[in-house]
Amino acid sequence: MRILHTSDWHVGKKLGRFDRREEYVQVLDEVVEVARNERVDLVVVSGDLFDRPAPPMWALALVIDTLRRLGEECPVVAVAGNHDSPEFFDVLAPLLEPHSVHLVGGIRRPDEGGVVVAETDAGRAAVACFPFLREGHVVDFMARADRWYGAYAERVRNLAKAYADGAVEAAGGDGIALLVAHFMVTGVSIGGHGAPRGERQLHIGHAYSATEQAIPATLSYVAMGHIHAPQPVPHAPIPAQYAGSLLALDFGEAGESKRMVIVDAEPGRPATVRSVPVQGGRPLVRATGRWEDIVERLDIRDSYLDLRVETDGPDRELASRAREEFPYLVRVEASYPRATSDFESRAGRSLEDLYTDFVTAERGESAARPELVGAFRAVLDAVEGASE
C-alpha cells in the first residue's frame, strides 16, 4: 500500500501584510499532483489544515476543494491540529465523507470513530486518529477519574496505545495499521535560531510534549504533525515521521526544505519512507548588514525579507525606504548600540516563564506552584483559541 503523508498546511496564515494565497494554491496543487503521479492508495493529513479555528472564506474553500480533489484519487483521512477547530471539523465531516474524505476533529474512543477503516485499491487500511490533545480541555477516556489530571505525556502514551490496539484489531492480518497524530515528542528539533516560527509557542513547550514511548511499536507507520521542521521522530521504535509544513511559515523556518512523505507499507512489516520535495513557495530570507550592502544584493529581491540594517543611530526613514526598495519586505529593524531595557530583556521569553518569574518575585517563593502554573497555562490556551 502506498500512502501520501502531508501535514501542517496552515492555509490562511499571513506573513506580515502578505496573505500568500497564490502560494497556498500552488503547493496544494503539488499535493494533488503527487497523489496522482505516485498512484497512492491513501492520503493522510496530520493536522493544522487551517491556521485559525475560524479561517477566512478563501482558505476554507481552498482546503475543501483540495480534499475533494484528493478524494477523487483515493481515500483521505485528516485529523485536527492545535490551530484547527475540532467542532468545525465535525461540522465539515459529514459533508466530505461522500467524497471519500474522513475528518476527525476531537478525541474519540477507538470503537466510536477514533479508528477509521478505509478500503483502498491495495486493501484495508486501519487509521488510528489522534487529534491534538489540549491539556486543560480533554480527559483521558481510558483512565479512571482520579487519574484524569495526570501527566500530559502519560495521557498521550495511554491514548496512543489504545488507538494502536484498535487499529491493529481493525486491520486484521492482511491490512495496514497506522497512526495519524498531532503532538510533540521530546527531543525533536524545532530550530528557528531565535526567529519566530509557525508553530504556536504555547503548544510546543515541555508541558505539551510526550516521550518516544507514545509511538506504538505495533504499527506499520506513524504520521506525525505539529512540528514544522521535517524529520523522523527521535528514537521511535518504528518508522515515524514529522512531514513538516508545506510552506516556510515564518522566518524561523527560513531555509528549511519542505516536503511530503511517500510511505510504502505491507501487512505486518515496518514501512519504508521517502521524501518528495515541495517546489512552490516564495523563499524567506533574513539579511543583516549596512544599507548600501543590502540594496546591492540581487539574490533577495524576490524573497520575503526580514532585514536588520546596521546604522549609527535611529533612522526614521528606514521603514519607508525599505518598503519602496523591496516589494516583499515583511520586517525591517535598525541595529545600533543602545542600552538594554527591561522590556528587551524579556524579549523571546514565553508568557509562562514571565508569569513564573512574576509569581516568585511577588510572593517570595523559590518556585511557582505547579497547579498555579497549570491554571495559567489553561487560561492562555483558552484565550489563544478564542482570539483566533
PDB file of all heavy atoms in Angstrom, residues 332-368:
ATOM      1  N   VAL A 332      11.637  45.155   9.049  1.00  0.00           N
ATOM      2  CA  VAL A 332      12.935  45.824   8.985  1.00  0.00           C
ATOM      3  C   VAL A 332      13.199  46.466  10.338  1.00  0.00           C
ATOM      4  O   VAL A 332      12.288  46.989  10.989  1.00  0.00           O
ATOM      5  CB  VAL A 332      12.982  46.878   7.856  1.00  0.00           C
ATOM      6  CG1 VAL A 332      11.943  47.973   8.070  1.00  0.00           C
ATOM      7  CG2 VAL A 332      14.382  47.463   7.720  1.00  0.00           C
ATOM      8  N   GLU A 333      14.447  46.387  10.766  1.00  0.00           N
ATOM      9  CA  GLU A 333      14.837  46.931  12.065  1.00  0.00           C
ATOM     10  C   GLU A 333      16.204  47.577  11.952  1.00  0.00           C
ATOM     11  O   GLU A 333      17.105  47.031  11.303  1.00  0.00           O
ATOM     12  CB  GLU A 333      14.869  45.811  13.114  1.00  0.00           C
ATOM     13  CG  GLU A 333      15.346  46.261  14.491  1.00  0.00           C
ATOM     14  CD  GLU A 333      15.552  45.107  15.447  1.00  0.00           C
ATOM     15  OE1 GLU A 333      15.386  43.942  15.014  1.00  0.00           O
ATOM     16  OE2 GLU A 333      15.900  45.355  16.614  1.00  0.00           O
ATOM     17  N   ALA A 334      16.344  48.748  12.563  1.00  0.00           N
ATOM     18  CA  ALA A 334      17.652  49.394  12.635  1.00  0.00           C
ATOM     19  C   ALA A 334      18.439  48.800  13.800  1.00  0.00           C
ATOM     20  O   ALA A 334      17.907  48.638  14.903  1.00  0.00           O
ATOM     21  CB  ALA A 334      17.488  50.889  12.820  1.00  0.00           C
ATOM     22  N   SER A 335      19.689  48.463  13.546  1.00  0.00           N
ATOM     23  CA  SER A 335      20.541  47.865  14.567  1.00  0.00           C
ATOM     24  C   SER A 335      21.676  48.831  14.889  1.00  0.00           C
ATOM     25  O   SER A 335      22.493  49.159  14.033  1.00  0.00           O
ATOM     26  CB  SER A 335      21.114  46.538  14.066  1.00  0.00           C
ATOM     27  OG  SER A 335      22.038  46.003  14.998  1.00  0.00           O
ATOM     28  N   TYR A 336      21.706  49.304  16.130  1.00  0.00           N
ATOM     29  CA  TYR A 336      22.756  50.228  16.566  1.00  0.00           C
ATOM     30  C   TYR A 336      22.936  50.086  18.072  1.00  0.00           C
ATOM     31  O   TYR A 336      22.059  49.562  18.770  1.00  0.00           O
ATOM     32  CB  TYR A 336      22.392  51.674  16.202  1.00  0.00           C
ATOM     33  CG  TYR A 336      21.059  52.137  16.718  1.00  0.00           C
ATOM     34  CD1 TYR A 336      20.927  52.729  17.979  1.00  0.00           C
ATOM     35  CD2 TYR A 336      19.906  51.974  15.951  1.00  0.00           C
ATOM     36  CE1 TYR A 336      19.701  53.143  18.441  1.00  0.00           C
ATOM     37  CE2 TYR A 336      18.666  52.386  16.410  1.00  0.00           C
ATOM     38  CZ  TYR A 336      18.567  52.973  17.659  1.00  0.00           C
ATOM     39  OH  TYR A 336      17.344  53.380  18.126  1.00  0.00           O
ATOM     40  N   PRO A 337      24.074  50.509  18.608  1.00  0.00           N
ATOM     41  CA  PRO A 337      24.324  50.353  20.053  1.00  0.00           C
ATOM     42  C   PRO A 337      23.291  51.111  20.865  1.00  0.00           C
ATOM     43  O   PRO A 337      22.972  52.265  20.577  1.00  0.00           O
ATOM     44  CB  PRO A 337      25.727  50.949  20.240  1.00  0.00           C
ATOM     45  CG  PRO A 337      26.344  50.883  18.886  1.00  0.00           C
ATOM     46  CD  PRO A 337      25.235  51.096  17.908  1.00  0.00           C
ATOM     47  N   ARG A 338      22.736  50.450  21.880  1.00  0.00           N
ATOM     48  CA  ARG A 338      21.765  51.094  22.756  1.00  0.00           C
ATOM     49  C   ARG A 338      21.764  50.392  24.100  1.00  0.00           C
ATOM     50  O   ARG A 338      22.195  49.239  24.208  1.00  0.00           O
ATOM     51  CB  ARG A 338      20.360  51.054  22.135  1.00  0.00           C
ATOM     52  CG  ARG A 338      19.774  49.672  22.025  1.00  0.00           C
ATOM     53  CD  ARG A 338      18.483  49.669  21.220  1.00  0.00           C
ATOM     54  NE  ARG A 338      18.777  49.553  19.807  1.00  0.00           N
ATOM     55  CZ  ARG A 338      17.848  49.542  18.858  1.00  0.00           C
ATOM     56  NH1 ARG A 338      16.584  49.694  19.181  1.00  0.00           N
ATOM     57  NH2 ARG A 338      18.185  49.400  17.595  1.00  0.00           N
ATOM     58  N   ALA A 339      21.261  51.069  25.084  1.00  0.00           N
ATOM     59  CA  ALA A 339      21.165  50.471  26.409  1.00  0.00           C
ATOM     60  C   ALA A 339      20.066  49.413  26.413  1.00  0.00           C
ATOM     61  O   ALA A 339      19.036  49.566  25.758  1.00  0.00           O
ATOM     62  CB  ALA A 339      20.850  51.544  27.457  1.00  0.00           C
ATOM     63  N   THR A 340      20.304  48.319  27.130  1.00  0.00           N
ATOM     64  CA  THR A 340      19.315  47.251  27.209  1.00  0.00           C
ATOM     65  C   THR A 340      18.222  47.630  28.186  1.00  0.00           C
ATOM     66  O   THR A 340      18.489  47.949  29.348  1.00  0.00           O
ATOM     67  CB  THR A 340      19.982  45.940  27.674  1.00  0.00           C
ATOM     68  OG1 THR A 340      21.014  45.602  26.748  1.00  0.00           O
ATOM     69  CG2 THR A 340      18.951  44.817  27.736  1.00  0.00           C
ATOM     70  N   SER A 341      16.986  47.650  27.710  1.00  0.00           N
ATOM     71  CA  SER A 341      15.847  47.979  28.568  1.00  0.00           C
ATOM     72  C   SER A 341      15.318  46.719  29.225  1.00  0.00           C
ATOM     73  O   SER A 341      15.615  45.599  28.807  1.00  0.00           O
ATOM     74  CB  SER A 341      14.731  48.622  27.750  1.00  0.00           C
ATOM     75  OG  SER A 341      14.171  47.677  26.854  1.00  0.00           O
ATOM     76  N   ASP A 342      14.492  46.919  30.260  1.00  0.00           N
ATOM     77  CA  ASP A 342      13.876  45.775  30.916  1.00  0.00           C
ATOM     78  C   ASP A 342      12.965  45.032  29.950  1.00  0.00           C
ATOM     79  O   ASP A 342      12.877  43.809  29.973  1.00  0.00           O
ATOM     80  CB  ASP A 342      13.080  46.248  32.138  1.00  0.00           C
ATOM     81  CG  ASP A 342      12.474  45.087  32.908  1.00  0.00           C
ATOM     82  OD1 ASP A 342      13.217  44.201  33.323  1.00  0.00           O
ATOM     83  OD2 ASP A 342      11.230  45.077  33.081  1.00  0.00           O
ATOM     84  N   PHE A 343      12.309  45.789  29.061  1.00  0.00           N
ATOM     85  CA  PHE A 343      11.431  45.154  28.071  1.00  0.00           C
ATOM     86  C   PHE A 343      12.237  44.256  27.150  1.00  0.00           C
ATOM     87  O   PHE A 343      11.837  43.129  26.853  1.00  0.00           O
ATOM     88  CB  PHE A 343      10.701  46.222  27.254  1.00  0.00           C
ATOM     89  CG  PHE A 343       9.864  45.657  26.142  1.00  0.00           C
ATOM     90  CD1 PHE A 343       8.611  45.124  26.404  1.00  0.00           C
ATOM     91  CD2 PHE A 343      10.339  45.644  24.840  1.00  0.00           C
ATOM     92  CE1 PHE A 343       7.838  44.591  25.393  1.00  0.00           C
ATOM     93  CE2 PHE A 343       9.577  45.115  23.814  1.00  0.00           C
ATOM     94  CZ  PHE A 343       8.319  44.591  24.097  1.00  0.00           C
ATOM     95  N   GLU A 344      13.391  44.721  26.685  1.00  0.00           N
ATOM     96  CA  GLU A 344      14.208  43.931  25.773  1.00  0.00           C
ATOM     97  C   GLU A 344      14.740  42.683  26.449  1.00  0.00           C
ATOM     98  O   GLU A 344      14.929  41.649  25.809  1.00  0.00           O
ATOM     99  CB  GLU A 344      15.357  44.772  25.229  1.00  0.00           C
ATOM    100  CG  GLU A 344      14.898  45.838  24.236  1.00  0.00           C
ATOM    101  CD  GLU A 344      16.025  46.773  23.853  1.00  0.00           C
ATOM    102  OE1 GLU A 344      16.859  47.066  24.739  1.00  0.00           O
ATOM    103  OE2 GLU A 344      16.059  47.217  22.706  1.00  0.00           O
ATOM    104  N   SER A 345      14.981  42.740  27.763  1.00  0.00           N
ATOM    105  CA  SER A 345      15.484  41.564  28.465  1.00  0.00           C
ATOM    106  C   SER A 345      14.437  40.461  28.536  1.00  0.00           C
ATOM    107  O   SER A 345      14.758  39.305  28.777  1.00  0.00           O
ATOM    108  CB  SER A 345      15.921  41.942  29.885  1.00  0.00           C
ATOM    109  OG  SER A 345      14.796  42.272  30.692  1.00  0.00           O
ATOM    110  N   ARG A 346      13.160  40.830  28.312  1.00  0.00           N
ATOM    111  CA  ARG A 346      12.091  39.835  28.329  1.00  0.00           C
ATOM    112  C   ARG A 346      11.768  39.317  26.939  1.00  0.00           C
ATOM    113  O   ARG A 346      10.968  38.397  26.794  1.00  0.00           O
ATOM    114  CB  ARG A 346      10.822  40.433  28.949  1.00  0.00           C
ATOM    115  CG  ARG A 346      10.995  40.897  30.389  1.00  0.00           C
ATOM    116  CD  ARG A 346       9.666  41.130  31.053  1.00  0.00           C
ATOM    117  NE  ARG A 346       8.879  42.170  30.394  1.00  0.00           N
ATOM    118  CZ  ARG A 346       8.871  43.441  30.745  1.00  0.00           C
ATOM    119  NH1 ARG A 346       9.627  43.851  31.750  1.00  0.00           N
ATOM    120  NH2 ARG A 346       8.111  44.318  30.102  1.00  0.00           N
ATOM    121  N   ALA A 347      12.357  39.902  25.920  1.00  0.00           N
ATOM    122  CA  ALA A 347      12.022  39.524  24.541  1.00  0.00           C
ATOM    123  C   ALA A 347      12.367  38.068  24.281  1.00  0.00           C
ATOM    124  O   ALA A 347      13.420  37.574  24.685  1.00  0.00           O
ATOM    125  CB  ALA A 347      12.764  40.423  23.563  1.00  0.00           C
ATOM    126  N   GLY A 348      11.451  37.377  23.608  1.00  0.00           N
ATOM    127  CA  GLY A 348      11.684  35.992  23.230  1.00  0.00           C
ATOM    128  C   GLY A 348      11.334  34.976  24.292  1.00  0.00           C
ATOM    129  O   GLY A 348      11.356  33.775  24.040  1.00  0.00           O
ATOM    130  N   ARG A 349      10.988  35.440  25.513  1.00  0.00           N
ATOM    131  CA  ARG A 349      10.624  34.508  26.577  1.00  0.00           C
ATOM    132  C   ARG A 349       9.120  34.243  26.552  1.00  0.00           C
ATOM    133  O   ARG A 349       8.326  35.099  26.189  1.00  0.00           O
ATOM    134  CB  ARG A 349      11.041  35.066  27.939  1.00  0.00           C
ATOM    135  CG  ARG A 349      12.540  35.348  28.055  1.00  0.00           C
ATOM    136  CD  ARG A 349      12.908  35.716  29.475  1.00  0.00           C
ATOM    137  NE  ARG A 349      12.629  34.620  30.384  1.00  0.00           N
ATOM    138  CZ  ARG A 349      12.440  34.790  31.699  1.00  0.00           C
ATOM    139  NH1 ARG A 349      12.480  35.999  32.230  1.00  0.00           N
ATOM    140  NH2 ARG A 349      12.192  33.754  32.465  1.00  0.00           N
ATOM    141  N   SER A 350       8.731  33.050  26.960  1.00  0.00           N
ATOM    142  CA  SER A 350       7.320  32.683  26.916  1.00  0.00           C
ATOM    143  C   SER A 350       6.553  33.383  28.028  1.00  0.00           C
ATOM    144  O   SER A 350       7.115  33.764  29.065  1.00  0.00           O
ATOM    145  CB  SER A 350       7.164  31.171  27.070  1.00  0.00           C
ATOM    146  OG  SER A 350       7.504  30.770  28.391  1.00  0.00           O
ATOM    147  N   LEU A 351       5.245  33.545  27.818  1.00  0.00           N
ATOM    148  CA  LEU A 351       4.389  34.136  28.850  1.00  0.00           C
ATOM    149  C   LEU A 351       4.393  33.287  30.113  1.00  0.00           C
ATOM    150  O   LEU A 351       4.311  33.813  31.224  1.00  0.00           O
ATOM    151  CB  LEU A 351       2.966  34.302  28.317  1.00  0.00           C
ATOM    152  CG  LEU A 351       2.768  35.376  27.247  1.00  0.00           C
ATOM    153  CD1 LEU A 351       1.340  35.340  26.729  1.00  0.00           C
ATOM    154  CD2 LEU A 351       3.082  36.759  27.821  1.00  0.00           C
ATOM    155  N   GLU A 352       4.487  31.974  29.938  1.00  0.00           N
ATOM    156  CA  GLU A 352       4.531  31.098  31.108  1.00  0.00           C
ATOM    157  C   GLU A 352       5.773  31.366  31.956  1.00  0.00           C
ATOM    158  O   GLU A 352       5.691  31.435  33.189  1.00  0.00           O
ATOM    159  CB  GLU A 352       4.499  29.647  30.652  1.00  0.00           C
ATOM    160  CG  GLU A 352       4.456  28.653  31.792  1.00  0.00           C
ATOM    161  CD  GLU A 352       4.431  27.219  31.290  1.00  0.00           C
ATOM    162  OE1 GLU A 352       3.793  26.968  30.262  1.00  0.00           O
ATOM    163  OE2 GLU A 352       5.066  26.367  31.939  1.00  0.00           O
ATOM    164  N   ASP A 353       6.936  31.536  31.313  1.00  0.00           N
ATOM    165  CA  ASP A 353       8.159  31.839  32.056  1.00  0.00           C
ATOM    166  C   ASP A 353       8.053  33.198  32.754  1.00  0.00           C
ATOM    167  O   ASP A 353       8.477  33.354  33.906  1.00  0.00           O
ATOM    168  CB  ASP A 353       9.366  31.836  31.121  1.00  0.00           C
ATOM    169  CG  ASP A 353       9.763  30.435  30.688  1.00  0.00           C
ATOM    170  OD1 ASP A 353       9.322  29.476  31.346  1.00  0.00           O
ATOM    171  OD2 ASP A 353      10.504  30.311  29.702  1.00  0.00           O
ATOM    172  N   LEU A 354       7.505  34.186  32.046  1.00  0.00           N
ATOM    173  CA  LEU A 354       7.363  35.518  32.636  1.00  0.00           C
ATOM    174  C   LEU A 354       6.404  35.490  33.823  1.00  0.00           C
ATOM    175  O   LEU A 354       6.629  36.161  34.839  1.00  0.00           O
ATOM    176  CB  LEU A 354       6.882  36.515  31.579  1.00  0.00           C
ATOM    177  CG  LEU A 354       7.850  36.767  30.414  1.00  0.00           C
ATOM    178  CD1 LEU A 354       7.201  37.679  29.370  1.00  0.00           C
ATOM    179  CD2 LEU A 354       9.157  37.395  30.907  1.00  0.00           C
ATOM    180  N   TYR A 355       5.328  34.721  33.691  1.00  0.00           N
ATOM    181  CA  TYR A 355       4.385  34.600  34.801  1.00  0.00           C
ATOM    182  C   TYR A 355       5.042  33.927  36.003  1.00  0.00           C
ATOM    183  O   TYR A 355       4.859  34.350  37.154  1.00  0.00           O
ATOM    184  CB  TYR A 355       3.159  33.805  34.347  1.00  0.00           C
ATOM    185  CG  TYR A 355       2.162  33.543  35.455  1.00  0.00           C
ATOM    186  CD1 TYR A 355       1.367  34.564  35.955  1.00  0.00           C
ATOM    187  CD2 TYR A 355       2.030  32.272  36.011  1.00  0.00           C
ATOM    188  CE1 TYR A 355       0.457  34.329  36.976  1.00  0.00           C
ATOM    189  CE2 TYR A 355       1.126  32.024  37.029  1.00  0.00           C
ATOM    190  CZ  TYR A 355       0.336  33.057  37.500  1.00  0.00           C
ATOM    191  OH  TYR A 355      -0.562  32.829  38.513  1.00  0.00           O
ATOM    192  N   THR A 356       5.832  32.890  35.747  1.00  0.00           N
ATOM    193  CA  THR A 356       6.537  32.212  36.831  1.00  0.00           C
ATOM    194  C   THR A 356       7.479  33.175  37.548  1.00  0.00           C
ATOM    195  O   THR A 356       7.546  33.201  38.786  1.00  0.00           O
ATOM    196  CB  THR A 356       7.327  31.011  36.275  1.00  0.00           C
ATOM    197  OG1 THR A 356       6.425  30.103  35.637  1.00  0.00           O
ATOM    198  CG2 THR A 356       8.068  30.289  37.383  1.00  0.00           C
ATOM    199  N   ASP A 357       8.214  33.994  36.785  1.00  0.00           N
ATOM    200  CA  ASP A 357       9.093  34.997  37.403  1.00  0.00           C
ATOM    201  C   ASP A 357       8.294  35.981  38.254  1.00  0.00           C
ATOM    202  O   ASP A 357       8.709  36.355  39.357  1.00  0.00           O
ATOM    203  CB  ASP A 357       9.852  35.765  36.318  1.00  0.00           C
ATOM    204  CG  ASP A 357      10.933  34.914  35.655  1.00  0.00           C
ATOM    205  OD1 ASP A 357      11.195  33.805  36.151  1.00  0.00           O
ATOM    206  OD2 ASP A 357      11.492  35.378  34.642  1.00  0.00           O
ATOM    207  N   PHE A 358       7.145  36.408  37.728  1.00  0.00           N
ATOM    208  CA  PHE A 358       6.314  37.369  38.456  1.00  0.00           C
ATOM    209  C   PHE A 358       5.829  36.787  39.780  1.00  0.00           C
ATOM    210  O   PHE A 358       5.899  37.433  40.830  1.00  0.00           O
ATOM    211  CB  PHE A 358       5.115  37.774  37.585  1.00  0.00           C
ATOM    212  CG  PHE A 358       4.068  38.561  38.319  1.00  0.00           C
ATOM    213  CD1 PHE A 358       4.253  39.907  38.584  1.00  0.00           C
ATOM    214  CD2 PHE A 358       2.892  37.946  38.741  1.00  0.00           C
ATOM    215  CE1 PHE A 358       3.280  40.629  39.270  1.00  0.00           C
ATOM    216  CE2 PHE A 358       1.921  38.656  39.423  1.00  0.00           C
ATOM    217  CZ  PHE A 358       2.119  40.006  39.691  1.00  0.00           C
ATOM    218  N   VAL A 359       5.331  35.538  39.738  1.00  0.00           N
ATOM    219  CA  VAL A 359       4.800  34.914  40.950  1.00  0.00           C
ATOM    220  C   VAL A 359       5.888  34.752  42.005  1.00  0.00           C
ATOM    221  O   VAL A 359       5.692  35.055  43.181  1.00  0.00           O
ATOM    222  CB  VAL A 359       4.150  33.557  40.612  1.00  0.00           C
ATOM    223  CG1 VAL A 359       3.817  32.789  41.888  1.00  0.00           C
ATOM    224  CG2 VAL A 359       2.894  33.770  39.781  1.00  0.00           C
ATOM    225  N   THR A 360       7.058  34.273  41.563  1.00  0.00           N
ATOM    226  CA  THR A 360       8.135  34.067  42.538  1.00  0.00           C
ATOM    227  C   THR A 360       8.620  35.387  43.132  1.00  0.00           C
ATOM    228  O   THR A 360       8.953  35.461  44.317  1.00  0.00           O
ATOM    229  CB  THR A 360       9.311  33.320  41.885  1.00  0.00           C
ATOM    230  OG1 THR A 360       9.727  34.029  40.711  1.00  0.00           O
ATOM    231  CG2 THR A 360       8.906  31.913  41.492  1.00  0.00           C
ATOM    232  N   ALA A 361       8.646  36.446  42.319  1.00  0.00           N
ATOM    233  CA  ALA A 361       9.096  37.745  42.816  1.00  0.00           C
ATOM    234  C   ALA A 361       8.073  38.358  43.770  1.00  0.00           C
ATOM    235  O   ALA A 361       8.425  38.916  44.814  1.00  0.00           O
ATOM    236  CB  ALA A 361       9.354  38.689  41.646  1.00  0.00           C
ATOM    237  N   GLU A 362       6.794  38.252  43.414  1.00  0.00           N
ATOM    238  CA  GLU A 362       5.749  38.882  44.226  1.00  0.00           C
ATOM    239  C   GLU A 362       5.506  38.144  45.536  1.00  0.00           C
ATOM    240  O   GLU A 362       5.197  38.750  46.552  1.00  0.00           O
ATOM    241  CB  GLU A 362       4.449  38.945  43.420  1.00  0.00           C
ATOM    242  CG  GLU A 362       4.470  39.961  42.290  1.00  0.00           C
ATOM    243  CD  GLU A 362       4.546  41.388  42.826  1.00  0.00           C
ATOM    244  OE1 GLU A 362       3.766  41.738  43.734  1.00  0.00           O
ATOM    245  OE2 GLU A 362       5.411  42.132  42.335  1.00  0.00           O
ATOM    246  N   ARG A 363       5.622  36.815  45.518  1.00  0.00           N
ATOM    247  CA  ARG A 363       5.295  36.018  46.694  1.00  0.00           C
ATOM    248  C   ARG A 363       6.518  35.575  47.481  1.00  0.00           C
ATOM    249  O   ARG A 363       6.394  34.949  48.530  1.00  0.00           O
ATOM    250  CB  ARG A 363       4.480  34.787  46.285  1.00  0.00           C
ATOM    251  CG  ARG A 363       3.169  35.149  45.597  1.00  0.00           C
ATOM    252  CD  ARG A 363       2.253  33.961  45.506  1.00  0.00           C
ATOM    253  NE  ARG A 363       0.963  34.317  44.964  1.00  0.00           N
ATOM    254  CZ  ARG A 363      -0.098  33.521  44.940  1.00  0.00           C
ATOM    255  NH1 ARG A 363      -0.002  32.306  45.456  1.00  0.00           N
ATOM    256  NH2 ARG A 363      -1.234  33.914  44.419  1.00  0.00           N
ATOM    257  N   GLY A 364       7.686  35.835  46.936  1.00  0.00           N
ATOM    258  CA  GLY A 364       8.899  35.458  47.636  1.00  0.00           C
ATOM    259  C   GLY A 364       9.123  33.964  47.708  1.00  0.00           C
ATOM    260  O   GLY A 364       9.825  33.481  48.602  1.00  0.00           O
ATOM    261  N   GLU A 365       8.533  33.218  46.786  1.00  0.00           N
ATOM    262  CA  GLU A 365       8.693  31.769  46.767  1.00  0.00           C
ATOM    263  C   GLU A 365       9.860  31.387  45.853  1.00  0.00           C
ATOM    264  O   GLU A 365      10.196  32.112  44.922  1.00  0.00           O
ATOM    265  CB  GLU A 365       7.409  31.101  46.276  1.00  0.00           C
ATOM    266  CG  GLU A 365       6.197  31.415  47.155  1.00  0.00           C
ATOM    267  CD  GLU A 365       4.910  30.840  46.578  1.00  0.00           C
ATOM    268  OE1 GLU A 365       4.981  30.263  45.478  1.00  0.00           O
ATOM    269  OE2 GLU A 365       3.864  30.976  47.222  1.00  0.00           O
ATOM    270  N   SER A 366      10.443  30.240  46.124  1.00  0.00           N
ATOM    271  CA  SER A 366      11.575  29.801  45.302  1.00  0.00           C
ATOM    272  C   SER A 366      11.125  29.318  43.932  1.00  0.00           C
ATOM    273  O   SER A 366      11.895  29.351  42.975  1.00  0.00           O
ATOM    274  CB  SER A 366      12.336  28.679  46.023  1.00  0.00           C
ATOM    275  OG  SER A 366      11.473  27.584  46.278  1.00  0.00           O
ATOM    276  N   ALA A 367       9.869  28.865  43.827  1.00  0.00           N
ATOM    277  CA  ALA A 367       9.333  28.405  42.544  1.00  0.00           C
ATOM    278  C   ALA A 367       7.815  28.499  42.592  1.00  0.00           C
ATOM    279  O   ALA A 367       7.202  28.365  43.657  1.00  0.00           O
ATOM    280  CB  ALA A 367       9.774  26.964  42.253  1.00  0.00           C
ATOM    281  N   ALA A 368       7.229  28.754  41.453  1.00  0.00           N
ATOM    282  CA  ALA A 368       5.775  28.820  41.373  1.00  0.00           C
ATOM    283  C   ALA A 368       5.181  27.418  41.521  1.00  0.00           C
ATOM    284  O   ALA A 368       5.730  26.448  41.014  1.00  0.00           O
ATOM    285  CB  ALA A 368       5.346  29.436  40.046  1.00  0.00           C
TER     286      ALA A 368
END
